Amino acid sequence: MNTLNAAVIRAALAVQTRHRQLAISLRDRGDRGSGVVETIILVAGFAGLAFVVYMAVSSKVHSWIDKIPGSTSP
């Protein structure tokens, strides 16, 4: 009976150790893609900001061009 108990305890400890190792490897693996997502969000944010600035400056430049005598709008 003692041999059977020892075998069951060893098997349970092996399963528990393997479970901990898998949990640690999954935790470490989860951070790999976060940098990519953050980069995509930053690039999209700056692209949106650049578009807003372009629209504001473009309309201002077109209004200045229209004020020049003899100029034609594109």
Side-chain angles (χ1 to χ4, degrees), residues 47-68:
L49 180 64
F51 180 73
V52 168
V53 170
Y54 167 76
M55 293 303 289
V57 171
S58 175
S59 65
K60 201 65 143 161
V61 169
H62 284 292
S63 68
W64 289 338
I65 290 173
D66 289 339
K67 289 180 182 178
I68 300 173

Side-chain angles (χ1 to χ4, degrees), residues 9-56:
I9 290 172
R10 284 187 188 140
L13 288 175
V15 168
Q16 183 181 18
T17 303
R18 181 65 182 149
H19 176 71
R20 285 183 184 169
Q21 289 172 347
L22 285 174
I24 290 170
S25 69
L26 286 175
R27 240 181 277 133
D28 291 341
R29 193 180 320 168
D31 288 342
R32 267 194 293 187
S34 69
V36 174
V37 173
E38 291 167 358
T39 302
I40 291 171
I41 291 170
L42 283 173
V43 169
F46 281 117
L49 180 64
F51 180 73
V52 168
V53 170
Y54 167 76
M55 293 303 289

